[in-house]
Amino acid sequence: MLDDRKLDVLRAIVQDYVATHEPVGSKALAERHNLKVSPATIRNDMAALEEEGYITQPHTSAGRVPTDKGYRLFVDRLAGIKPLSTPERRAIQLFLDGAVDLDDVVGRTVRLLAQLTHQVAVVQYPSLTRSTIRHVELLTLAPTRIMLVLITNTGRVEQRVMDAPAPIGENLLADLRARINGKVVGKRFADVALLVQDLGESFTAEERPIVTTVLATLLDTLVEQQEERVVLAGTANLTRFGTDFPMTIRPVLEALEEHVVLLRLLGEATEPAMVVRIGHENMHEGLASTSVVSVGYGSGDEALAKLGVLGPTRMDYPGTMGAVRAVARYVGQILAES
Amino acid sequence: MLDDRKLDVLRAIVQDYVATHEPVGSKALAERHNLKVSPATIRNDMAALEEEGYITQPHTSAGRVPTDKGYRLFVDRLAGIKPLSTPERRAIQLFLDGAVDLDDVVGRTVRLLAQLTHQVAVVQYPSLTRSTIRHVELLTLAPTRIMLVLITNTGRVEQRVMDAPAPIGENLLADLRARINGKVVGKRFADVALLVQDLGESFTAEERPIVTTVLATLLDTLVEQQEERVVLAGTANLTRFGTDFPMTIRPVLEALEEHVVLLRLLGEATEPAMVVRIGHENMHEGLASTSVVSVGYGSGDEALAKLGVLGPTRMDYPGTMGAVRAVARYVGQILAES
DNA sequence: CCTGGCACTCCGCTGGCTGGAGTGCCAGTG
DNA sequence: CACTGGCACTCCAGCCAGCGGAGTGCCAGG
């Protein structure tokens, strides 16, 4: 049904439309891309493409515009991923290398991604669920007040304050700290509950309540913080969307404020490969005319979290995909080093 | 020059303009507010107010619109701060009480403020400079790799990883940890440098390099993190600005992305009282038609940081100021408790 | 199967017109 | 002297008609 030339025409339409933001006509196509056929022929092909639902015209006798389905075909079969230039790569590395801690890494990453793609960038903090524990620290703030600090292998730090049922001695605390760390250091979050469950038994009846409190808080932290953190940058780039503004930008800004929505946009975290969601594929009303390019990143083989960008469906997919992939790789490296 | 009735007229103009977003004319004024004079008289007063620069007309034979100077007078002399209703207060308290840690407190605060005022909310993290140290923790990640964790009295946690010049033993580390904490716990950041400067002397020549490295990192953390963190929410509310969009919203979004700008907007941190910056008073081109209402908040008498909202100059000042003040108070309470 | 030609459609822009809202000024009045 | 009603004037916003251009669909011919 769709011979090679028709696909060439579709590719040309997408490219031109992305470049100009205006419906593209047969004549312009014939001129700008050397397709070696006349406008009339192209018109026939366009009619076929429209018939199949890959392109559409805003109104009779206007040029054609790709549909979501058209972009989908373009991304899947007609375009590759455009690698970044060497200077660009070097700039990324230089910029990310300057980070001092995890917050800084994430902050720099999101700004970098926004600047590189001229779109809205979203970065998820390395997930706690798939992280391992580097250290658990216990501090007394007051006789019956304890702070628990949890440090992960990705450098993420979580803290909780709890009220102990009774005053707690320094040596009990030290003992408890040592035992907990002995059990859990290097272990994954998911496995911790099992590992510490019988820890209370080796303490005296007197100490037991305190131990229980601490362990409960530890588990609580592990569970609660699965609520993932995300940051974003580059919202000003939304103004490039078009001139028919408020109606377009409003729901997008609203969606971006909801972290739940953001996380869903990045995709179910199981998939480490690059994912492109186009228009309605996002399953979110306000984001019907935006696309999301996301990919997992991590220090080793497996993805710790995701990052990506959000932009208008009429975006430069090859370039955006290239930037997203490159940034994800470098962040992975940085995290592996620290 | 400005008798009472002229001030009444100005107040009425501001109120009506804020409510309708349209230039207000003499006739409408006479009707909606019972000023007990005829439109013609009001016109005379308006002419005087315009002469003095408090109001202006977009074009001949349109209604009047307040100028920055007009809003300034309104805020300073014509309007009070509108206290929140009891249900509103209760809702604030309820919402903020649910927070589990500092990040959560700040996150909830900023979202709350945005929702309450229907504007863009900005909250600065409790400043490290004026904080005191609650605990310093040292951990070995690898034989020559140390992590320093710094916990402040506001619950903020900072961490740094450093490479030690030589392998470090657990007992040396414990000793060092104890000595550092003995010196600095409860002290203010600014005073720490002085307190630890001769700490190295009590260690052997062999240990000295390691100690020096750790202390350097500690001081580094204190200094570097004076770079304050801010978060914001409610950018979607910018779409209420008007219909002449992209031109208006663009520079605002851009300004909001720069944390340096945000911090300056909140005001030099020395001033704990409520500050209103109107239009050009912000000294930032892109924010010429926005106003900022900010106030310090803190756990005790002194302000730890600031929070505020940003909106169009044509905002409901009394209401906004009331909301900002109320939220600041409750956040202060929450921080004092933890 | 491709191409050039032709008639047709429809958008977007321009220019002129009109109604309405609001002003400034002036003369009159308590 | 301050306020009021009346009046002429200004200017914007919205509407409508006309026009040019870009693009299409279709058809007959190579």
Side-chain angles (χ1 to χ4, degrees):
Chain A
M1 217 59 171
L2 290 182
D3 58 23
D4 280 358
R5 199 190 53 216
K6 289 198 183 61
L7 292 180
D8 283 345
V9 170
L10 178 57
R11 182 191 291 114
I13 291 175
V14 172
Q15 286 170 352
D16 271 26
Y17 184 62
V18 165
T20 64
H21 293 186
E22 272 168 18
V24 6
S26 54
K27 193 176 159 195
L29 264 193
E31 282 168 8
R32 298 190 26 146
H33 306 259
N34 60 343
L35 296 171
K36 291 167 184 164
V37 288
S38 76
T41 308
I42 293 180
R43 280 205 285 281
N44 289 331
D45 290 351
M46 285 169 118
L49 285 168
E50 182 163 18
E51 177 74 17
E52 304 280 337
Y54 294 107
I55 57 179
T56 184
Q57 36 189 349
H59 51 85
T60 332
S61 98
R64 299 312 211 291
V65 167
T67 60
D68 288 357
K69 189 177 171 191
Y71 287 121
R72 169 54 57 204
L73 184 62
F74 176 81
V75 168
D76 288 347
R77 296 186 42 199
L78 303 180
I81 298 178
K82 186 178 156 203
L84 296 191
S85 67
T86 315
E88 279 175 319
R89 291 170 177 279
R90 206 167 294 151
I92 293 178
Q93 191 146 28
L94 216 66
F95 186 61
L96 289 186
D97 273 345
V100 299
D101 63 6
L102 181 66
D103 279 338
D104 202 19
V105 171
V106 173
R108 280 168 184 251
T109 302
V110 73
R111 290 202 303 277
L112 177 67
L113 203 50
Q115 206 173 2
L116 225 47
T117 60
H118 300 293
Q119 282 160 18
V120 182
V122 188
V123 177
Q124 178 185 10
Y125 268 70
S127 162
L128 286 183
T129 346
R130 268 154 296 161
S131 305
T132 59
I133 293 179
R134 182 180 272 167
H135 187 84
V136 175
E137 185 57 40
L138 297 172
L139 313 169
T140 47
L141 305 180
T144 66
R145 199 140 214 212
I146 306 172
M147 173 179 261
L148 180 149
V149 179
L150 178 75
I151 303 170
T152 77
N153 65 331
T154 52
R156 187 159 164 181
V157 179
E158 291 295 329
Q159 84 266 27
R160 276 290 180 292
V161 175
M162 69 199 98
D163 286 309
I168 184 167
E170 266 311 320
N171 30 13
L172 167 59
L173 200 67
D175 188 23
L176 185 54
R177 179 195 301 132
R179 291 199 197 207
I180 291 181
N181 278 298
K183 288 273 191 188
V184 305
V185 165
K187 297 299 189 296
R188 289 159 149 271
F189 276 35
D191 308 330
V192 168
L194 224 64
L195 291 167
V196 299
Q197 67 179 4
D198 52 356
L199 204 61
E201 292 169 14
S202 48
F203 290 87
T204 68
E206 203 182 345
E207 298 164 335
R208 202 72 60 79
I210 295 179
V211 173
T212 314
T213 305
V214 171
L215 291 182
T217 306
L218 172 61
L219 295 180
D220 207 41
T221 310
L222 297 181
V223 173
E224 252 190 56
Q225 285 301 321
Q226 292 191 5
E227 145 211 344
E228 314 283 4
R229 285 179 61 195
V230 288
V231 292
L232 59 126
T235 46
N237 293 326
L238 286 178
T239 53
R240 295 172 187 255
F241 257 51
T243 42
D244 53 340
F245 251 90
M247 216 205 61
T248 316
I249 202 177
R250 179 80 184 263
V252 178
L253 275 175
E254 271 169 0
L256 292 180
E257 293 248 332
E258 306 223 21
H259 287 197
V260 193
V261 174
L262 280 185
L263 286 169
R264 206 175 42 211
L265 276 185
L266 286 179
E268 305 314 324
T270 49
E271 178 63 59
M274 180 133 49
V275 173
V276 180
R277 295 244 180 84
I278 298 167
H280 297 86
E281 296 171 10
N282 287 311
M283 308 295 271
H284 188 292
E285 245 192 308
L287 303 176
S289 56
T290 63
S291 287
V292 175
V293 177
S294 66
V295 68
Y297 70 92
S299 49
D301 317 323
E302 56 181 345
L304 286 171
K306 307 203 115 192
L307 57 77
V309 308
L310 176 149
T313 46
R314 67 156 105 79
M315 71 164 75
D316 166 23
Y317 290 96
T320 303
M321 290 166 83
V324 168
R325 189 177 62 183
V327 170
R329 280 189 188 153
Y330 283 110
V331 179
Q333 279 180 25
I334 300 275
L335 288 182
E337 283 166 17
S338 61
Chain B
M1 218 58 172
L2 291 182
D3 59 23
D4 279 358
R5 198 190 54 214
K6 290 198 182 62
L7 293 180
D8 283 345
V9 170
L10 178 57
R11 182 192 290 114
I13 291 175
V14 172
Q15 286 171 351
D16 271 25
Y17 184 62
V18 165
T20 64
H21 292 185
E22 272 169 18
V24 8
S26 54
K27 192 175 157 195
L29 264 194
E31 282 169 8
R32 299 190 27 146
H33 306 259
N34 58 342
L35 295 171
K36 292 166 184 163
V37 288
S38 76
T41 309
I42 294 179
R43 279 205 286 280
N44 289 331
D45 291 350
M46 284 168 119
L49 286 168
E50 181 162 19
E51 178 74 17
E52 304 280 336
Y54 294 107
I55 56 179
T56 184
Q57 36 188 347
H59 52 83
T60 332
S61 98
R64 300 310 212 293
V65 168
T67 60
D68 288 358
K69 191 178 170 190
Y71 286 120
R72 168 54 57 202
L73 184 62
F74 176 81
V75 169
D76 289 346
R77 295 186 42 199
L78 302 180
I81 298 177
K82 185 177 154 204
L84 296 191
S85 67
T86 314
E88 278 176 318
R89 292 170 178 279
R90 206 167 295 149
I92 293 178
Q93 193 147 27
L94 216 67
F95 186 60
L96 290 186
D97 272 346
V100 298
D101 63 6
L102 182 66
D103 279 339
D104 201 18
V105 171
V106 173
R108 279 167 184 253
T109 303
V110 73
R111 290 202 303 276
L112 177 67
L113 204 50
Q115 206 172 2
L116 226 45
T117 60
H118 299 295
Q119 283 160 18
V120 182
V122 188
V123 177
Q124 178 185 11
Y125 267 71
S127 161
L128 285 183
T129 346
R130 269 153 296 160
S131 305
T132 58
I133 293 178
R134 183 180 272 168
H135 186 83
V136 175
E137 184 57 39
L138 297 172
L139 312 168
T140 47
L141 305 180
T144 67
R145 200 138 214 214
I146 306 172
M147 173 180 261
L148 180 148
V149 179
L150 177 75
I151 303 171
T152 77
N153 64 332
T154 51
R156 187 159 164 180
V157 178
E158 291 296 328
Q159 84 265 29
R160 278 288 180 292
V161 175
M162 69 199 98
D163 286 310
I168 185 167
E170 266 312 318
N171 30 12
L172 168 57
L173 200 67
D175 188 23
L176 184 54
R177 177 194 302 133
R179 291 202 198 204
I180 290 181
N181 278 297
K183 289 272 191 188
V184 304
V185 165
K187 297 299 189 295
R188 290 161 149 270
F189 276 36
D191 308 330
V192 168
L194 224 64
L195 291 167
V196 299
Q197 68 179 2
D198 53 355
L199 203 63
E201 292 168 14
S202 50
F203 289 87
T204 68
E206 204 182 343
E207 300 164 334
R208 202 74 59 80
I210 295 179
V211 173
T212 314
T213 305
V214 170
L215 291 182
T217 306
L218 172 60
L219 295 180
D220 207 42
T221 310
L222 297 181
V223 173
E224 252 189 56
Q225 287 300 322
Q226 292 191 5
E227 144 212 345
E228 314 281 4
R229 285 178 62 195
V230 288
V231 292
L232 61 131
T235 45
N237 293 326
L238 286 178
T239 51
R240 295 171 187 257
F241 257 52
T243 41
D244 52 339
F245 250 91
M247 216 204 62
T248 316
I249 203 177
R250 180 80 184 263
V252 177
L253 274 175
E254 272 169 0
L256 292 180
E257 291 248 333
E258 305 223 20
H259 287 197
V260 194
V261 174
L262 279 185
L263 286 169
R264 207 174 43 210
L265 277 186
L266 285 179
E268 305 315 323
T270 49
E271 178 64 58
M274 179 133 51
V275 174
V276 179
R277 295 245 178 82
I278 298 168
H280 298 85
E281 296 171 9
N282 286 312
M283 307 296 269
H284 188 292
E285 244 192 309
L287 303 177
S289 56
T290 63
S291 288
V292 175
V293 176
S294 66
V295 68
Y297 72 92
S299 49
D301 316 323
E302 56 180 347
L304 287 171
K306 307 203 115 195
L307 57 76
V309 309
L310 175 148
T313 47
R314 66 156 107 79
M315 71 164 75
D316 166 22
Y317 289 95
T320 304
M321 291 166 82
V324 168
R325 189 177 61 181
V327 170
R329 279 189 189 154
Y330 283 110
V331 179
Q333 279 179 25
I334 301 276
L335 288 182
E337 283 166 17
S338 61

